[in-house]
Amino acid sequence: MKVLQFREAIAEAMSEEMRRDESVYLMGEEVAEYNGAYKASKGMLDEFGEKRVIDTPIAELGFSGIAVGSAMGGTRPIVEFMTFNFSLVGIDQIINNAAKMRQMSGGQFNIPIVFRGPTGSAGQLGATHSQSFENWYANTPGLKVIVPSNPYDAKGLLKAAIRDDDPVIFMESEQMYGDKGEVPEGEYILPIGVADIKREGTDVTVVSFGKIIKEAYAAADELEKEGISLEIIDLRTIRPMDHEAILNSVKKTNRLVILEEAWPFASVSSEITFQVQENAFDYLDAPIQRITTADTPAPFSPVLLEEWMPNKNDVINAVKKVMYR
């Protein structure tokens, strides 16, 4: 095993797939000359040249459309958005073209394309730069949605996404790019749609994904001192979702808390809650608790932002609530 930063794992996954398959290329704002806005494509221009690592204008609608068209022609584009907030400019190409082309063409066209970049809040960046759209994209048939939480998962899942014949939304975090973790020396690929039990426990199941899962780990350490054991499931993939992993855990612990960095209405946690009450209702010993951001645009004020964002204390309180403590 070797230790890589999250950004290095992303760059390594893309580089390995570009060496393996000449139809793979990367395009986006600052991905080439600047080595990526977050240095997630460092060194790739030098290795692959300007025809396969392409700097674009600030025009998400345009380069998203170019990528969809080129995917129809046989390439496998990787499109980097500086953040997924900016993907809204090109969302028509993603929702109405990439996601629907296979069905609308009667299977004549696959769209093997990866749209990747940061999601969620990165601190004091204001309301329009701090949004999580995992549930938006997961609501769209034809798209797969991946949100890794560590370098190991990021590399293995990104390689799987690049090789997939369907469009994949791959969401990262500006606040994770410097995170370090162990990554195997050799090639490995993680299957899309398989959750991972990051921490086994007996008392309460906590389901989360992306960078906010760190708050669940911190809460688990605190609660362990009180004799409360959390089982933490990292979804890794939002669509397709690994319902079986969640249900099996709930059947063991009989309690469920869901933690996500998004607004509460029509959230990923809402879908999980429905699936569990429909398929494991008799196993629940307490109502399901979900933890989300406040139902407002993200504030700029650091004091308000701290209140807006879920934290380990929110997890601790939710766990104690389902345990009636």
Side-chain angles (χ1 to χ4, degrees):
M1 303 287 277
K2 56 188 174 184
V3 176
L4 293 181
Q5 289 185 334
F6 193 103
R7 59 168 56 89
E8 293 172 328
I10 294 291
E12 199 168 86
M14 293 190 295
S15 296
E16 287 180 7
E17 291 306 302
M18 288 175 71
R19 294 182 197 118
R20 173 183 170 273
D21 185 347
E22 290 188 356
S23 70
V24 179
Y25 71 92
L26 171 67
M27 70 188 308
E29 296 152 359
E30 298 185 350
V31 299
E33 295 288 346
Y34 193 65
N35 285 309
Y38 313 103
K39 300 299 180 279
S41 54
K42 186 176 181 179
M44 293 179 65
L45 175 63
D46 292 339
E47 179 175 355
F48 300 105
E50 61 184 13
K51 289 187 177 181
R52 296 186 67 198
V53 182
I54 305 166
D55 277 332
T56 67
I58 302 175
E60 287 80 8
L61 176 62
F63 64 75
S64 296
I66 289 170
V68 173
S70 70
M72 293 174 66
T75 66
R76 306 184 82 89
I78 306 167
V79 176
E80 178 179 306
F81 294 120
M82 200 171 289
T83 86
F84 265 95
N85 298 279
F86 305 150
S87 74
L88 300 189
V89 181
I91 200 169
D92 178 56
Q93 297 290 350
I94 300 170
I95 301 295
N96 282 330
N97 292 323
K100 296 179 173 63
M101 191 57 66
R102 170 177 267 185
Q103 184 197 44
M104 292 177 67
S105 69
Q108 295 179 81
F109 292 104
N110 293 333
I111 308 294
I113 186 171
V114 176
F115 297 99
R116 50 159 293 268
T119 185
S121 171
Q124 289 179 263
L125 296 181
T128 61
H129 289 65
S130 305
Q131 302 168 108
S132 298
F133 297 120
E134 294 91 326
N135 59 323
W136 285 30
Y137 287 115
N139 184 253
T140 306
L143 296 179
K144 298 176 181 178
V145 181
I146 298 172
V147 191
S149 67
N150 60 78
Y152 172 82
D153 289 353
K155 181 180 178 181
L157 287 166
L158 182 52
K159 287 172 69 70
I162 294 169
R163 296 187 190 189
D164 200 283
D165 286 333
D166 292 314
V168 179
I169 306 295
F170 194 93
M171 298 174 134
E172 303 155 15
S173 169
E174 293 173 57
Q175 293 184 325
M176 289 198 303
Y177 282 123
D179 289 1
K180 295 181 178 179
E182 290 188 336
V183 175
E185 291 282 355
E187 178 174 279
Y188 69 99
I189 295 178
L190 296 178
I192 295 173
V194 178
D196 188 34
I197 299 175
K198 298 296 190 189
R199 181 170 180 151
E200 294 194 358
T202 57
D203 294 324
V204 179
T205 297
V206 178
V207 176
S208 189
F209 56 91
K211 78 171 187 290
I212 202 68
I213 199 172
K214 296 177 184 180
E215 300 300 323
Y217 299 148
D221 290 338
E222 291 291 325
L223 289 165
E224 189 174 39
K225 299 172 186 176
E226 301 181 34
I228 298 174
S229 172
L230 300 190
E231 178 147 296
I232 300 176
I233 296 178
D234 187 343
L235 285 179
R236 302 197 294 195
T237 302
I238 307 304
R239 182 164 185 160
M241 187 180 291
D242 190 350
H243 298 298
E244 184 178 359
I246 300 169
L247 293 171
N248 287 341
S249 181
V250 169
K251 289 175 181 179
K252 179 174 71 171
T253 66
N254 310 117
R255 297 172 176 87
L256 174 62
V257 172
I258 309 161
L259 169 65
E260 70 172 307
E261 184 186 335
W263 297 307
F265 189 87
S267 58
V268 173
S269 54
S270 300
E271 172 64 18
I272 295 171
T273 299
F274 171 79
Q275 293 292 336
V276 172
Q277 68 82 29
E278 183 178 49
N279 296 294
F281 181 82
D282 290 340
Y283 290 90
L284 290 171
D285 288 341
I288 298 167
Q289 295 294 308
R290 67 175 181 180
I291 306 164
T292 65
T293 65
D295 197 16
T296 69
F300 177 78
S301 160
V303 177
L304 293 177
L305 185 63
E306 185 176 354
E307 288 296 313
W308 182 82
M309 182 72 71
N311 58 49
K312 72 171 184 179
N313 292 327
D314 296 324
V315 180
I316 290 170
N317 292 335
V319 167
K320 290 185 175 180
K321 187 171 183 178
V322 299
M323 295 191 71
Y324 300 107
R325 291 201 182 181

